[in-house]
Each structure stands twice: as structure tokens, then as C-alpha cells.
Amino acid sequence: MKFGKWIGAGLGWTIGGPIGAIIGLSLGALVDHSSDDYVAEEESRPYSSPRSGRPRQQTGAGDFALSLLTLSAAVMQADGKVMKSELIYVRDFFNQQFGEQATTEMMPLLRRLLKGSIPLAEVCRQIRQNMNHALRLQLLHYLFGIAQADGNVDRQEVTVIETIANYLGISSRDFDSIRAMFYESTESAYTVLEVSPNATDDEVKKAYRKMAVKHHPDKVANLGEEFQKAAKEKFQKVQEAYERIKKERNLK
């Protein structure tokens, strides 16, 4: 099977633990499909969900990949259906990050994951132990991107992402900040900066500097081009929020 060579090449810690167990079971039952065939097969048809180590400081893009794939499935299952737009979002992201061949090999794995139950607490615990805070924030931003892919961030999807955030040790302030990046309003701009609308001008400026450091793309510089692109988009959301507030307050 084609998966073995790519997965065995450098996925590090993800081969073990709950993620490794999930991937192993999925691979054991997997029949090869291309990602294009899968998207064409699923279209917009609703999907009935069957839902009923030691830490280290850095992880590589390979480590991040299976974490993304596993949690992608969890978010896509959230509202009981898998949409074509969600599949395309994940496929395009992986295609730009890892290339067409790797993506073609991984999409059928996603299909298997979508048909199973994902033990979120155990999976997130493993990710939290091996992934630094900046990467976990980037992971959360990516998951909201999936939720928004069909043009509507469903409440059930937000609930699952919030559960993931809690398991990953992401604070409610950080969660609200990233969620607000997907809504355009002055109120959400304050939430992005993690500051109250009643804050002073100096407090707003201080909050912006803090968030600019927290979400700077350099913090995920060890990941590939597509992750860097997503990180820059997140950083841009922080800047846009600050500009919106500056305009409202007429700040210099």
C-alpha cells in the first residue's frame, strides 16, 4: 500500500499513542482511492456520523499532518454531514502543503477517519504533549477554516472546536480571539485583540502588541509553505482588528 512509505518517512511521535492507533486501524481497512474520486463520489451528500511520552519543544510538518487530518475528521463529523466544500478545503490545503501525491494517498485515510469515532480527549492530549502553543493556535485556526468552508460556521462545529481547544490547553480568551477572526465587526475586533471595548487607548495598543507577538508567523517557521500562509493570514486578522478599532476611535 502506498501509505506506508510516506507515513513511515518522518511522522515521528504521531505513529505512537492514540493517533497511531487510529491511523493503524484505518490503514488496516483501507482500500486506495484518489482524492478526486472521493470528492466526486461524496459531492454535497449528507454524511450520517456514527458518533454515538514525553513532551518535546518542536514538531515538524509531518507530525502536524496527521494531527490535522485526525482533528479535521472530528470537525467535519460535528454536524452529521460532510460537505464537498469541506473536502475541497482540506484537500487543497494538504495539496499545497505536501504535494499532490501525498494528498492523494492521505484523502482515503480521511475517508476512513470520517467513518469512525475519534477519541478527542486522548488524541488532543497527545498533541498537547508534543506541540508547542503557537502550533496549537495555528491548528485551531485551520479547524475554523474547515467549519467556514461551506459559508456557515455551524454551532455544532464551534462546540467541537471549543472542546478540542479545551483539551489542547488553549485558553477561552485565545479560543474567542481566533473564533472572532472569522466574523467581521467592531465587537469581534476587540475579541480578536482579547481586550474589552471599554479599554483605554493605551490598553488597546498594548493588547495589539501582545497579540502581534503571539500570532507572529515566525513562531511556526518550522512548518511548510501552506502553514506559513495560514499563519500570515491569522496575523493579518490581528492587524485588521487593530485597524478597525483605530478607525472607530480615531487613533493615530
Side-chain angles (χ1 to χ4, degrees), residues 55-97:
R56 72 185 192 201
Q57 296 300 312
Q58 299 290 335
T59 64
D63 294 332
F64 206 6
L66 284 186
S67 304
L68 283 172
L69 202 68
T70 305
L71 295 187
S72 296
V75 172
M76 293 167 75
Q77 289 176 339
D79 58 1
K81 58 184 180 294
V82 175
M83 305 301 292
K84 180 180 179 181
S85 55
E86 296 171 334
L87 291 166
I88 291 174
Y89 180 90
V90 175
R91 185 189 63 184
D92 288 350
F93 190 96
F94 274 77
N95 186 56
Q96 293 178 42
Q97 176 64 28

Side-chain angles (χ1 to χ4, degrees), residues 231-242:
K232 290 175 182 177
E233 290 175 355
K234 180 159 57 69
F235 184 69
Q236 182 65 32
K237 291 293 185 180
V238 172
Q239 294 177 312
E240 289 174 358
Y242 183 52

Side-chain angles (χ1 to χ4, degrees), residues 5 17 22 39 47 55-56 77 123 134 144 173 186 202 215:
K5 180 178 180 181
I22 293 170
V39 171
Y47 169 79
R56 72 185 192 201
Q77 289 176 339
V123 167
F144 268 110
R173 286 171 63 91
T186 302
D202 285 342
H215 293 295

